[in-house]
Every structure is written in structure tokens, then in C-alpha cells.
Amino acid sequence: MFYFSTRDTNKKFTFEEIILNGLAEDGGLYIPERTPNLKENDINELLSSDYETIAYEIIKQFTGETFKVDLLKEMIHDSYNSFRSDCVTPLRKIDDALSILELFHGPTLAFKDLAMQLLSRMIDEVLSRTRSKASIICATSGDTGGAAVTSFANKKNIKLFVLYPKGRISEVQRRFMSTVQADNVKVISIDGNFDDCQNIVKTLFNDRDFANNVRLTAVNSINWARIMIQIVYYFSALSQYKGYEKNINFIVPTGNFGDIFAGYIAKKMGLPIHKLVVATNINNILERCLKTGIYEVFDSIKTNSPSMDIQISSNFERLLFDLLNMNSTNVDKKMSELSTNGKFELSKFELDTFKNNFDAGSINQDETIKIIKDMYDKSHQIIDPHTAIAVGIHYKNRYKNSIVLSTAHAAKFPDTVEQAIGINPELPIMSEDIYKMQENIINLKSDVGEIKSYIKKNFRE
Ligand SMILES: *Cc1c(COP(=O)(O)O)cnc(C)c1O
């Protein structure tokens, strides 16, 4: 299997190259040259298998010869062995029309653990073959940081630097990062806001000398390997669903369009999915695009579902590539239109193709609170605000068969949940320790020079 960039289909790359590069040099996103298509028999067999078997069968389609059979199986096992549920991502039935896929049983209680656990092992393995080291720098406003720190801790070929805005993330989120004791991980608080952190990361990536010097790698959802790993739980969901031949919609709390794009690939591989439903808060660039055909950037607004507070959904470029008939020149044109005019428009044909596979909805902050309360009153389930938004759209759009992806545990957003139901959701037992352990944080000014020299110095050690 080879890969190319959404903006240039002439150059081909191996899986090893794209997992280390993260983002293509032309600014595009890597995408497999073709999507593997599974036969009905193979799908039926997968749907009667356990999580690790499904993961192995799906992932090997995309990694080809990169990992030996036993090694890939072992990495998958090590990644999910410690999850707090035997089925890794259990499906919970709420009523005949609605089930919830719980993606929060990993170490930091959010779905990002699923991809990051395996991604870290794959990167470490690929690096060890060439005896090279790499550094990872990421900016976090919430769940990505914790998942990255926990996954990359003690991986011997990698130095991880996580930047977060000081005083602007919740205590749970901070402690999931700061209490991990590992020499290869540095948690850095920045005097500034999230945009400052993200701008620093962008500047460092654009500084080619520096980036090459410390072998900079990206692990946010633009990295194809994360999408690939997330395809697995769409199959796992249907393997737990009775009567899956019915037309099922997956409703996905969406920010960067990574998680839902994995569902789109699952559908292209042959999994019987009816619609993929984009669920957002009032930052609804994708819903507006689906309804009008115009993809237009507005300022992002702060809400009680912070993982969806985004302006641009980076992974939408991967879908755009399909909508534009895999014509990378046209993708390039649309993306430069976006950066000069802040918007682009889809043709009627492109929009129809989008609508054939997707639907969308959005929910405001007050509605989010009400949905958390209704769900608790009705079925004694405590859900987080992101999950609540997806549940709300299930009811609003009156779907008959829905699986909602629950992207985080309620205890990660205790203030909003308490506001809704008057209960402070408890952390699962294994996670409680984060309140007893010592925190390790380095504070730096929002200054590229200072951060650069800090990283250079620590990369060598
Ligand atoms: C990251 C995140 C999302 C958004 O996922 P994307 O892949 O960026 O669309 C949704 N909910 C929660 C809780 C998250 O942490």
C-alpha cells in the first residue's frame, strides 16, 4: 500500500514515511492511494470477531508489509490490554433506536487514547529500525495532551513536548499530563492562550532547519495512522449490535473531522453504514457547509463542549479530495481559496455526493445541559457534553437507528455535568491516583526562541 498527498498524487510514500512525517511537505494530508474493499463474507467474519482481531485485520490492510504479523498483533494487544472494558469499546443500548459506543475506557478517559496508544508503539518501532530519534511537539487545549503523554511515556526513541495554556485547562486534564513520571516527556505551561501555543508549534514546524534538526513529528489527527486506527471501532460497534443489517447512522461529536472521517473510510471499505452524522456545537462550519455548499471560516466561540470549539476542520481536506474526484490540483486550488478568502464553495454535484454519505446537526450550550439532565433522568446514564450533543441530534433529527460515539468520560468535564444534574461524576478508580501524585510542569514564556532552545537542549539529553 502506498500513500500520496491530497495536493499532489504524483509522489508516492510508504507507510513508514507518512507515519513519521505526519503532514505532507506540500501542506496537504496523506491519504492511501486506494481504499481496500472487503467482501461481504470477510465483513461478516470480522463482525463475529473480538476487538484485537478486528484491529489486526483492518490495520494490516493499510500497513502492508511494514510490521510482521506477530509484531502487529503484539502492539495491538499491548495497546488495549489495560483498557477498563474487555470489549475495549463497549456498546451500550439506551433504547430501541439509540445505542452509545463508549470510547472512554482508556488511561485518560477520552477516545484519543485508542489511536495514540498504538500510534506511539508504531512510531517507536519504525524509529528503532533506523536507530533514529524523533521529537514530538503538540499544543493541547484538552484531551490530546493527556493521551499523548500517557502513550509516549518511556518510548525510548521519542522526546515529547506538550504545550498548554497556563491556567486555561481543567485540573483533571492538567493532572493527566503532569503526573506522568517519564524522562522523555516534558509538560510545558505557556504564559498565553491556546492560539499562542498553537502558533508556536506552527512556527517550529515551518522552521525547516530546526524541524530537521530535532526530527519533528506530528501526532495530531492530521496523522493518517490515527484515522486508520479509529476505523476499527466502527466495525467493533456493529459487531456488538443486534440486527446490524438495518440502516444505521453513526452520530459523531466532531471537531477536526478525524473521528468521523474514519467512519467514512469504514463505509467505503464496505461496512453497512447509512449516514455519518456530524454533531457540533454552535461552531458549526461543517453543518453550514452541508446545508449551503459553502465552507466558510468564522471566529471560534468558547463553549461547554471545548473539543468542538474549532474554526477549521483540518481533516475535511481528506473528504474534499474524494468530493473533487481525487483531483489534487483542484484540492490545492480550493485550499488556497480558503486561505485567501476564508471560504470556498462546492458545486451542486460535489455537495450531493457529500449529502449522500453525511448528515449534520448542531446543539447550543443550554440544550447541551438539558440533554445531560434528560439522559440522566430517563436512563441513569451520566454523559459528557460532547456525547450529549450527539444524543441531542439523534432526537432532533428523529433517526430510527443510531449509534452515538461517546468521545469522553463525564468525569473529564465535571463542572458542566454538575451544573446539569447536581452530581460531580466520579473518576474511575485507576484514574483517582492523579490527585495524589506529584505534578511535573515546566513554565515558559510565550516566546519561540526560548522554547526552541529548551527543546534543542532536551532533545540531545
Ligand atoms: C478530540 C475530541 C473530539 C473531536 O474529534 P475530531 O476527530 O477532532 O473530530 C470530540 N470530542 C472529544 C471529547 C474530543 O476529545
Side-chain angles (χ1 to χ4, degrees):
M1 173 70 86
F2 284 97
Y3 291 80
F4 42 54
S5 158
T6 48
R7 298 192 199 177
D8 179 3
T9 47
N10 294 318
K11 266 196 238 152
K12 295 200 175 169
F13 300 88
T14 64
F15 182 78
E16 279 179 318
E17 289 173 311
I18 63 139
I19 196 176
L20 288 184
N21 292 351
L23 188 71
E25 252 183 48
D26 56 26
L29 306 185
Y30 292 117
I31 196 108
E33 57 179 350
R34 61 182 167 79
T35 306
N37 196 269
L38 303 177
K39 294 190 202 73
E40 206 180 317
N41 272 349
D42 298 335
I43 290 186
N44 288 338
E45 198 171 319
L46 275 184
L47 294 182
S48 55
S49 308
D50 62 13
Y51 196 93
E52 288 183 19
T53 310
I54 300 175
Y56 170 74
E57 293 295 333
I58 298 288
I59 289 167
K60 77 167 189 205
Q61 310 270 342
F62 294 96
T63 55
E65 306 289 301
T66 314
F67 308 107
K68 293 229 167 70
V69 176
D70 288 346
L71 177 63
L72 181 55
K73 287 186 174 166
E74 184 187 311
M75 289 193 293
I76 290 170
H77 178 74
D78 292 346
S79 297
Y80 302 123
N81 194 23
S82 66
F83 274 52
R84 289 177 311 276
S85 163
D86 286 343
C87 16
V88 185
T89 57
L91 186 72
R92 187 185 290 277
K93 183 173 173 175
I94 302 297
D95 57 40
D96 281 345
L98 174 65
S99 297
I100 292 183
L101 185 69
E102 298 182 350
L103 302 176
F104 52 71
H105 294 284
T108 70
L109 314 184
F111 84 92
K112 298 197 170 67
D113 286 327
L114 281 140
M116 211 68 93
Q117 281 292 328
L118 186 51
L119 175 69
S120 62
R121 289 173 166 86
M122 288 179 165
I123 291 182
D124 202 36
E125 163 65 24
V126 169
L127 286 168
S128 72
R129 290 176 187 174
T130 50
R131 288 172 212 240
S132 38
K133 310 251 180 245
S135 56
I136 292 168
I137 303 177
C138 71
T140 186
S141 61
D143 295 331
T144 306
V149 166
T150 315
S151 300
F152 284 96
N154 302 314
K155 296 283 177 290
K156 55 185 187 307
N157 302 309
I158 299 154
K159 288 272 160 66
L160 171 67
F161 304 89
V162 180
L163 273 47
Y164 75 88
K166 187 176 178 185
R168 292 177 198 234
I169 65 172
S170 75
E171 185 177 2
V172 201
Q173 287 177 326
R174 189 190 69 233
R175 283 183 174 272
F176 268 123
M177 300 192 283
S178 61
T179 56
V180 171
Q181 310 288 337
D183 289 340
N184 69 325
V185 168
K186 306 289 176 201
V187 177
I188 304 168
S189 69
I190 298 291
D191 294 320
N193 58 29
F194 177 62
D195 287 333
D196 296 328
C197 296
Q198 212 162 20
N199 285 334
I200 293 168
V201 172
K202 271 188 205 149
T203 311
L204 296 180
F205 267 94
N206 290 334
D207 184 338
R208 294 313 307 170
D209 281 346
F210 173 77
N212 290 334
N213 215 305
V214 300
R215 283 293 299 267
L216 214 49
T217 297
V219 297
N220 52 9
S221 66
I222 55 161
N223 194 312
W224 166 260
R226 278 186 58 179
I227 310 273
M228 167 188 83
I229 297 165
Q230 289 167 199
I231 298 168
V232 176
Y233 47 72
Y234 286 87
F235 282 82
S236 167
L238 290 200
S239 78
Q240 299 171 64
Y241 195 96
K242 302 276 176 297
Y244 70 83
E245 56 292 326
K246 288 191 234 160
N247 282 337
I248 295 170
N249 301 303
F250 277 90
I251 312 181
V252 187
T254 295
N256 256 325
F257 205 72
D259 209 4
I260 195 165
F261 187 76
Y264 171 72
I265 300 288
K267 184 168 157 73
K268 277 191 16 173
M269 291 175 83
L271 193 67
I273 296 175
H274 184 229
K275 287 276 165 80
L276 292 147
V277 185
V278 176
T280 67
N281 59 30
I282 49 172
N283 296 290
N284 64 341
I285 181 165
L286 292 162
E287 183 193 25
R288 286 186 279 114
C289 179
L290 189 111
K291 293 194 169 146
T292 63
I294 300 170
Y295 187 88
E296 182 174 14
V297 179
F298 292 171
D299 282 342
S300 84
I301 298 162
K302 203 169 166 330
T303 73
N304 54 12
S305 46
S307 299
M308 295 170 174
D309 296 348
I310 50 101
Q311 291 171 280
I312 300 184
S313 287
S314 332
N315 272 294
F316 188 68
E317 180 166 344
R318 289 192 160 110
L319 180 70
L320 189 64
F321 180 76
D322 268 19
L323 298 180
L324 301 179
N325 240 331
M326 303 180 65
N327 183 323
S328 55
T329 315
N330 288 347
V331 174
D332 202 28
K333 265 191 213 143
K334 285 263 194 284
M335 294 317 287
S336 53
E337 232 180 278
L338 182 66
S339 67
T340 32
N341 308 332
K343 64 174 173 183
F344 61 75
E345 186 163 2
L346 298 175
S347 72
K348 174 156 184 340
F349 177 77
E350 289 150 12
L351 183 58
D352 286 344
T353 317
F354 186 13
K355 283 182 179 165
N356 282 340
N357 292 296
F358 291 86
D359 202 354
S362 59
I363 294 283
N364 71 30
Q365 301 203 66
D366 292 342
E367 287 172 310
T368 305
I369 300 279
K370 188 165 179 308
I371 297 157
I372 296 174
K373 181 171 186 324
D374 286 350
M375 179 61 108
Y376 184 69
D377 290 346
K378 206 182 86 189
S379 49
H380 274 268
Q381 292 296 316
I382 305 183
I383 53 174
D384 99 288
H386 304 83
T387 309
I389 285 176
V391 167
I393 290 163
H394 162 76
Y395 288 114
K396 223 181 203 173
N397 291 5
R398 299 166 190 271
Y399 296 125
K400 299 221 167 53
N401 286 299
S402 301
I403 294 179
V404 155
L405 266 54
S406 182
T407 46
H409 191 287
K412 277 208 116 166
F413 301 94
D415 296 346
T416 305
V417 173
E418 185 158 9
Q419 191 190 342
I421 59 173
I423 295 170
N424 191 335
E426 275 173 42
L427 283 172
I429 298 169
M430 266 156 38
S431 311
E432 276 175 352
D433 287 348
I434 60 170
Y435 281 96
K436 299 180 196 126
M437 292 188 312
Q438 200 198 317
E439 294 190 82
N440 254 319
I441 301 170
I442 297 118
N443 181 248
L444 294 177
K445 284 202 292 282
S446 174
D447 176 283
V448 175
E450 194 174 316
I451 292 160
K452 228 167 151 172
S453 50
Y454 180 81
I455 291 172
K456 266 192 194 155
K457 178 168 154 275
N458 280 278
F459 180 65
R460 306 241 173 295
E461 271 171 12

PDB file of all heavy atoms in Angstrom, residues 3-29:
ATOM      1  N   TYR A   3       0.957   5.689  -0.307  1.00  0.00           N
ATOM      2  CA  TYR A   3       0.183   6.877   0.057  1.00  0.00           C
ATOM      3  C   TYR A   3       0.628   8.059  -0.792  1.00  0.00           C
ATOM      4  O   TYR A   3       1.754   8.097  -1.271  1.00  0.00           O
ATOM      5  CB  TYR A   3       0.425   7.213   1.537  1.00  0.00           C
ATOM      6  CG  TYR A   3      -0.174   6.182   2.462  1.00  0.00           C
ATOM      7  CD1 TYR A   3       0.478   4.977   2.709  1.00  0.00           C
ATOM      8  CD2 TYR A   3      -1.406   6.398   3.062  1.00  0.00           C
ATOM      9  CE1 TYR A   3      -0.082   4.014   3.536  1.00  0.00           C
ATOM     10  CE2 TYR A   3      -1.972   5.444   3.881  1.00  0.00           C
ATOM     11  CZ  TYR A   3      -1.310   4.253   4.114  1.00  0.00           C
ATOM     12  OH  TYR A   3      -1.869   3.298   4.921  1.00  0.00           O
ATOM     13  N   PHE A   4      -0.291   9.017  -0.984  1.00  0.00           N
ATOM     14  CA  PHE A   4       0.131  10.290  -1.559  1.00  0.00           C
ATOM     15  C   PHE A   4      -0.556  11.440  -0.829  1.00  0.00           C
ATOM     16  O   PHE A   4      -1.413  11.225   0.023  1.00  0.00           O
ATOM     17  CB  PHE A   4      -0.082  10.364  -3.068  1.00  0.00           C
ATOM     18  CG  PHE A   4      -1.382   9.799  -3.589  1.00  0.00           C
ATOM     19  CD1 PHE A   4      -2.602  10.224  -3.099  1.00  0.00           C
ATOM     20  CD2 PHE A   4      -1.368   8.845  -4.626  1.00  0.00           C
ATOM     21  CE1 PHE A   4      -3.789   9.712  -3.603  1.00  0.00           C
ATOM     22  CE2 PHE A   4      -2.564   8.329  -5.131  1.00  0.00           C
ATOM     23  CZ  PHE A   4      -3.771   8.772  -4.615  1.00  0.00           C
ATOM     24  N   SER A   5      -0.145  12.662  -1.174  1.00  0.00           N
ATOM     25  CA  SER A   5      -0.714  13.839  -0.525  1.00  0.00           C
ATOM     26  C   SER A   5      -1.984  14.256  -1.254  1.00  0.00           C
ATOM     27  O   SER A   5      -2.099  14.095  -2.467  1.00  0.00           O
ATOM     28  CB  SER A   5       0.308  14.982  -0.549  1.00  0.00           C
ATOM     29  OG  SER A   5      -0.342  16.229  -0.411  1.00  0.00           O
ATOM     30  N   THR A   6      -2.945  14.822  -0.518  1.00  0.00           N
ATOM     31  CA  THR A   6      -4.172  15.316  -1.143  1.00  0.00           C
ATOM     32  C   THR A   6      -3.880  16.428  -2.160  1.00  0.00           C
ATOM     33  O   THR A   6      -4.735  16.761  -2.955  1.00  0.00           O
ATOM     34  CB  THR A   6      -5.136  15.896  -0.079  1.00  0.00           C
ATOM     35  OG1 THR A   6      -4.375  16.771   0.770  1.00  0.00           O
ATOM     36  CG2 THR A   6      -5.782  14.809   0.746  1.00  0.00           C
ATOM     37  N   ARG A   7      -2.663  17.002  -2.086  1.00  0.00           N
ATOM     38  CA  ARG A   7      -2.360  18.103  -3.004  1.00  0.00           C
ATOM     39  C   ARG A   7      -1.375  17.723  -4.110  1.00  0.00           C
ATOM     40  O   ARG A   7      -0.975  18.558  -4.913  1.00  0.00           O
ATOM     41  CB  ARG A   7      -1.807  19.304  -2.216  1.00  0.00           C
ATOM     42  CG  ARG A   7      -2.843  19.812  -1.227  1.00  0.00           C
ATOM     43  CD  ARG A   7      -2.502  21.133  -0.631  1.00  0.00           C
ATOM     44  NE  ARG A   7      -3.269  21.321   0.599  1.00  0.00           N
ATOM     45  CZ  ARG A   7      -3.147  22.358   1.398  1.00  0.00           C
ATOM     46  NH1 ARG A   7      -2.281  23.308   1.118  1.00  0.00           N
ATOM     47  NH2 ARG A   7      -3.877  22.438   2.493  1.00  0.00           N
ATOM     48  N   ASP A   8      -0.942  16.461  -4.131  1.00  0.00           N
ATOM     49  CA  ASP A   8      -0.036  16.020  -5.194  1.00  0.00           C
ATOM     50  C   ASP A   8      -0.038  14.503  -5.277  1.00  0.00           C
ATOM     51  O   ASP A   8       0.572  13.813  -4.462  1.00  0.00           O
ATOM     52  CB  ASP A   8       1.386  16.542  -4.897  1.00  0.00           C
ATOM     53  CG  ASP A   8       2.380  16.097  -5.959  1.00  0.00           C
ATOM     54  OD1 ASP A   8       1.954  15.446  -6.949  1.00  0.00           O
ATOM     55  OD2 ASP A   8       3.579  16.388  -5.799  1.00  0.00           O
ATOM     56  N   THR A   9      -0.743  13.955  -6.270  1.00  0.00           N
ATOM     57  CA  THR A   9      -0.872  12.497  -6.346  1.00  0.00           C
ATOM     58  C   THR A   9       0.257  11.849  -7.155  1.00  0.00           C
ATOM     59  O   THR A   9       0.260  10.641  -7.351  1.00  0.00           O
ATOM     60  CB  THR A   9      -2.234  12.105  -6.971  1.00  0.00           C
ATOM     61  OG1 THR A   9      -2.438  12.900  -8.139  1.00  0.00           O
ATOM     62  CG2 THR A   9      -3.360  12.339  -6.008  1.00  0.00           C
ATOM     63  N   ASN A  10       1.223  12.646  -7.586  1.00  0.00           N
ATOM     64  CA  ASN A  10       2.324  12.078  -8.365  1.00  0.00           C
ATOM     65  C   ASN A  10       3.390  11.401  -7.520  1.00  0.00           C
ATOM     66  O   ASN A  10       3.967  10.399  -7.923  1.00  0.00           O
ATOM     67  CB  ASN A  10       2.972  13.150  -9.238  1.00  0.00           C
ATOM     68  CG  ASN A  10       1.997  13.639 -10.298  1.00  0.00           C
ATOM     69  OD1 ASN A  10       1.290  12.819 -10.895  1.00  0.00           O
ATOM     70  ND2 ASN A  10       1.920  14.934 -10.494  1.00  0.00           N
ATOM     71  N   LYS A  11       3.656  11.976  -6.332  1.00  0.00           N
ATOM     72  CA  LYS A  11       4.692  11.395  -5.475  1.00  0.00           C
ATOM     73  C   LYS A  11       4.094  10.358  -4.542  1.00  0.00           C
ATOM     74  O   LYS A  11       3.065  10.609  -3.921  1.00  0.00           O
ATOM     75  CB  LYS A  11       5.310  12.509  -4.620  1.00  0.00           C
ATOM     76  CG  LYS A  11       6.556  13.103  -5.225  1.00  0.00           C
ATOM     77  CD  LYS A  11       7.309  13.889  -4.160  1.00  0.00           C
ATOM     78  CE  LYS A  11       7.487  15.319  -4.592  1.00  0.00           C
ATOM     79  NZ  LYS A  11       7.583  16.304  -3.577  1.00  0.00           N
ATOM     80  N   LYS A  12       4.744   9.189  -4.438  1.00  0.00           N
ATOM     81  CA  LYS A  12       4.224   8.151  -3.547  1.00  0.00           C
ATOM     82  C   LYS A  12       5.109   7.959  -2.316  1.00  0.00           C
ATOM     83  O   LYS A  12       6.323   8.144  -2.389  1.00  0.00           O
ATOM     84  CB  LYS A  12       4.094   6.840  -4.307  1.00  0.00           C
ATOM     85  CG  LYS A  12       3.052   6.986  -5.384  1.00  0.00           C
ATOM     86  CD  LYS A  12       2.511   5.678  -5.865  1.00  0.00           C
ATOM     87  CE  LYS A  12       1.396   5.974  -6.847  1.00  0.00           C
ATOM     88  NZ  LYS A  12       0.961   4.815  -7.579  1.00  0.00           N
ATOM     89  N   PHE A  13       4.472   7.585  -1.223  1.00  0.00           N
ATOM     90  CA  PHE A  13       5.189   7.411   0.047  1.00  0.00           C
ATOM     91  C   PHE A  13       4.817   6.071   0.678  1.00  0.00           C
ATOM     92  O   PHE A  13       3.723   5.561   0.455  1.00  0.00           O
ATOM     93  CB  PHE A  13       4.816   8.530   1.022  1.00  0.00           C
ATOM     94  CG  PHE A  13       5.145   9.899   0.531  1.00  0.00           C
ATOM     95  CD1 PHE A  13       4.234  10.611  -0.242  1.00  0.00           C
ATOM     96  CD2 PHE A  13       6.372  10.488   0.826  1.00  0.00           C
ATOM     97  CE1 PHE A  13       4.533  11.882  -0.713  1.00  0.00           C
ATOM     98  CE2 PHE A  13       6.683  11.764   0.365  1.00  0.00           C
ATOM     99  CZ  PHE A  13       5.764  12.463  -0.403  1.00  0.00           C
ATOM    100  N   THR A  14       5.740   5.537   1.488  1.00  0.00           N
ATOM    101  CA  THR A  14       5.431   4.309   2.220  1.00  0.00           C
ATOM    102  C   THR A  14       4.757   4.661   3.544  1.00  0.00           C
ATOM    103  O   THR A  14       4.779   5.821   3.978  1.00  0.00           O
ATOM    104  CB  THR A  14       6.725   3.542   2.567  1.00  0.00           C
ATOM    105  OG1 THR A  14       7.504   4.368   3.451  1.00  0.00           O
ATOM    106  CG2 THR A  14       7.517   3.212   1.318  1.00  0.00           C
ATOM    107  N   PHE A  15       4.183   3.658   4.192  1.00  0.00           N
ATOM    108  CA  PHE A  15       3.559   3.882   5.498  1.00  0.00           C
ATOM    109  C   PHE A  15       4.583   4.400   6.498  1.00  0.00           C
ATOM    110  O   PHE A  15       4.303   5.295   7.284  1.00  0.00           O
ATOM    111  CB  PHE A  15       2.907   2.590   6.001  1.00  0.00           C
ATOM    112  CG  PHE A  15       2.216   2.773   7.324  1.00  0.00           C
ATOM    113  CD1 PHE A  15       0.963   3.376   7.393  1.00  0.00           C
ATOM    114  CD2 PHE A  15       2.827   2.363   8.507  1.00  0.00           C
ATOM    115  CE1 PHE A  15       0.332   3.574   8.616  1.00  0.00           C
ATOM    116  CE2 PHE A  15       2.192   2.556   9.738  1.00  0.00           C
ATOM    117  CZ  PHE A  15       0.949   3.161   9.786  1.00  0.00           C
ATOM    118  N   GLU A  16       5.793   3.821   6.452  1.00  0.00           N
ATOM    119  CA  GLU A  16       6.845   4.274   7.379  1.00  0.00           C
ATOM    120  C   GLU A  16       7.126   5.765   7.228  1.00  0.00           C
ATOM    121  O   GLU A  16       7.340   6.473   8.198  1.00  0.00           O
ATOM    122  CB  GLU A  16       8.144   3.497   7.133  1.00  0.00           C
ATOM    123  CG  GLU A  16       8.145   2.134   7.783  1.00  0.00           C
ATOM    124  CD  GLU A  16       9.435   1.375   7.514  1.00  0.00           C
ATOM    125  OE1 GLU A  16       9.912   1.422   6.362  1.00  0.00           O
ATOM    126  OE2 GLU A  16       9.934   0.743   8.450  1.00  0.00           O
ATOM    127  N   GLU A  17       7.125   6.223   5.977  1.00  0.00           N
ATOM    128  CA  GLU A  17       7.385   7.647   5.760  1.00  0.00           C
ATOM    129  C   GLU A  17       6.250   8.521   6.273  1.00  0.00           C
ATOM    130  O   GLU A  17       6.481   9.514   6.960  1.00  0.00           O
ATOM    131  CB  GLU A  17       7.594   7.919   4.252  1.00  0.00           C
ATOM    132  CG  GLU A  17       8.896   7.382   3.722  1.00  0.00           C
ATOM    133  CD  GLU A  17       9.013   7.513   2.206  1.00  0.00           C
ATOM    134  OE1 GLU A  17       8.066   7.112   1.487  1.00  0.00           O
ATOM    135  OE2 GLU A  17      10.050   8.019   1.752  1.00  0.00           O
ATOM    136  N   ILE A  18       5.022   8.122   5.983  1.00  0.00           N
ATOM    137  CA  ILE A  18       3.921   9.024   6.343  1.00  0.00           C
ATOM    138  C   ILE A  18       3.652   9.041   7.839  1.00  0.00           C
ATOM    139  O   ILE A  18       3.224  10.046   8.379  1.00  0.00           O
ATOM    140  CB  ILE A  18       2.618   8.710   5.568  1.00  0.00           C
ATOM    141  CG1 ILE A  18       2.093   7.326   5.904  1.00  0.00           C
ATOM    142  CG2 ILE A  18       2.832   8.864   4.069  1.00  0.00           C
ATOM    143  CD1 ILE A  18       0.610   7.308   6.065  1.00  0.00           C
ATOM    144  N   ILE A  19       3.940   7.951   8.530  1.00  0.00           N
ATOM    145  CA  ILE A  19       3.684   7.961   9.980  1.00  0.00           C
ATOM    146  C   ILE A  19       4.684   8.891  10.668  1.00  0.00           C
ATOM    147  O   ILE A  19       4.358   9.546  11.659  1.00  0.00           O
ATOM    148  CB  ILE A  19       3.690   6.537  10.584  1.00  0.00           C
ATOM    149  CG1 ILE A  19       3.039   6.549  11.976  1.00  0.00           C
ATOM    150  CG2 ILE A  19       5.076   5.961  10.680  1.00  0.00           C
ATOM    151  CD1 ILE A  19       2.896   5.186  12.616  1.00  0.00           C
ATOM    152  N   LEU A  20       5.898   8.994  10.116  1.00  0.00           N
ATOM    153  CA  LEU A  20       6.890   9.888  10.720  1.00  0.00           C
ATOM    154  C   LEU A  20       6.721  11.338  10.269  1.00  0.00           C
ATOM    155  O   LEU A  20       6.964  12.260  11.032  1.00  0.00           O
ATOM    156  CB  LEU A  20       8.310   9.416  10.400  1.00  0.00           C
ATOM    157  CG  LEU A  20       8.769   8.148  11.111  1.00  0.00           C
ATOM    158  CD1 LEU A  20      10.228   7.865  10.772  1.00  0.00           C
ATOM    159  CD2 LEU A  20       8.611   8.247  12.634  1.00  0.00           C
ATOM    160  N   ASN A  21       6.318  11.538   9.012  1.00  0.00           N
ATOM    161  CA  ASN A  21       6.164  12.918   8.536  1.00  0.00           C
ATOM    162  C   ASN A  21       4.924  13.603   9.114  1.00  0.00           C
ATOM    163  O   ASN A  21       4.945  14.801   9.365  1.00  0.00           O
ATOM    164  CB  ASN A  21       6.055  12.950   7.012  1.00  0.00           C
ATOM    165  CG  ASN A  21       7.359  12.563   6.346  1.00  0.00           C
ATOM    166  OD1 ASN A  21       8.382  12.426   7.010  1.00  0.00           O
ATOM    167  ND2 ASN A  21       7.321  12.372   5.045  1.00  0.00           N
ATOM    168  N   GLY A  22       3.844  12.866   9.301  1.00  0.00           N
ATOM    169  CA  GLY A  22       2.604  13.478   9.794  1.00  0.00           C
ATOM    170  C   GLY A  22       1.911  14.264   8.701  1.00  0.00           C
ATOM    171  O   GLY A  22       0.978  13.795   8.064  1.00  0.00           O
ATOM    172  N   LEU A  23       2.410  15.476   8.453  1.00  0.00           N
ATOM    173  CA  LEU A  23       1.843  16.347   7.419  1.00  0.00           C
ATOM    174  C   LEU A  23       2.739  16.299   6.190  1.00  0.00           C
ATOM    175  O   LEU A  23       3.957  16.270   6.311  1.00  0.00           O
ATOM    176  CB  LEU A  23       1.789  17.774   7.970  1.00  0.00           C
ATOM    177  CG  LEU A  23       1.061  18.840   7.146  1.00  0.00           C
ATOM    178  CD1 LEU A  23      -0.446  18.593   7.175  1.00  0.00           C
ATOM    179  CD2 LEU A  23       1.352  20.233   7.712  1.00  0.00           C
ATOM    180  N   ALA A  24       2.136  16.295   4.984  1.00  0.00           N
ATOM    181  CA  ALA A  24       2.947  16.298   3.767  1.00  0.00           C
ATOM    182  C   ALA A  24       3.638  17.650   3.593  1.00  0.00           C
ATOM    183  O   ALA A  24       3.133  18.675   4.042  1.00  0.00           O
ATOM    184  CB  ALA A  24       2.064  16.004   2.553  1.00  0.00           C
ATOM    185  N   GLU A  25       4.791  17.650   2.929  1.00  0.00           N
ATOM    186  CA  GLU A  25       5.561  18.889   2.810  1.00  0.00           C
ATOM    187  C   GLU A  25       4.844  19.958   1.978  1.00  0.00           C
ATOM    188  O   GLU A  25       5.069  21.151   2.170  1.00  0.00           O
ATOM    189  CB  GLU A  25       6.941  18.600   2.211  1.00  0.00           C
ATOM    190  CG  GLU A  25       8.029  18.732   3.263  1.00  0.00           C
ATOM    191  CD  GLU A  25       9.414  18.532   2.693  1.00  0.00           C
ATOM    192  OE1 GLU A  25       9.722  19.132   1.650  1.00  0.00           O
ATOM    193  OE2 GLU A  25      10.182  17.769   3.312  1.00  0.00           O
ATOM    194  N   ASP A  26       3.962  19.515   1.071  1.00  0.00           N
ATOM    195  CA  ASP A  26       3.223  20.491   0.262  1.00  0.00           C
ATOM    196  C   ASP A  26       2.030  21.079   1.009  1.00  0.00           C
ATOM    197  O   ASP A  26       1.210  21.806   0.445  1.00  0.00           O
ATOM    198  CB  ASP A  26       2.755  19.844  -1.053  1.00  0.00           C
ATOM    199  CG  ASP A  26       1.925  18.586  -0.814  1.00  0.00           C
ATOM    200  OD1 ASP A  26       1.305  18.480   0.257  1.00  0.00           O
ATOM    201  OD2 ASP A  26       1.886  17.707  -1.697  1.00  0.00           O
ATOM    202  N   GLY A  27       1.893  20.736   2.302  1.00  0.00           N
ATOM    203  CA  GLY A  27       0.804  21.280   3.110  1.00  0.00           C
ATOM    204  C   GLY A  27      -0.438  20.405   3.095  1.00  0.00           C
ATOM    205  O   GLY A  27      -1.368  20.612   3.876  1.00  0.00           O
ATOM    206  N   GLY A  28      -0.457  19.400   2.210  1.00  0.00           N
ATOM    207  CA  GLY A  28      -1.617  18.503   2.128  1.00  0.00           C
ATOM    208  C   GLY A  28      -1.579  17.416   3.190  1.00  0.00           C
ATOM    209  O   GLY A  28      -0.680  17.356   4.019  1.00  0.00           O
ATOM    210  N   LEU A  29      -2.603  16.553   3.160  1.00  0.00           N
ATOM    211  CA  LEU A  29      -2.688  15.443   4.100  1.00  0.00           C
ATOM    212  C   LEU A  29      -2.473  14.137   3.345  1.00  0.00           C
ATOM    213  O   LEU A  29      -2.915  13.993   2.203  1.00  0.00           O
ATOM    214  CB  LEU A  29      -4.064  15.423   4.767  1.00  0.00           C
ATOM    215  CG  LEU A  29      -4.522  16.711   5.451  1.00  0.00           C
ATOM    216  CD1 LEU A  29      -5.845  16.490   6.169  1.00  0.00           C
ATOM    217  CD2 LEU A  29      -3.485  17.197   6.443  1.00  0.00           C
TER     218      LEU A  29
END
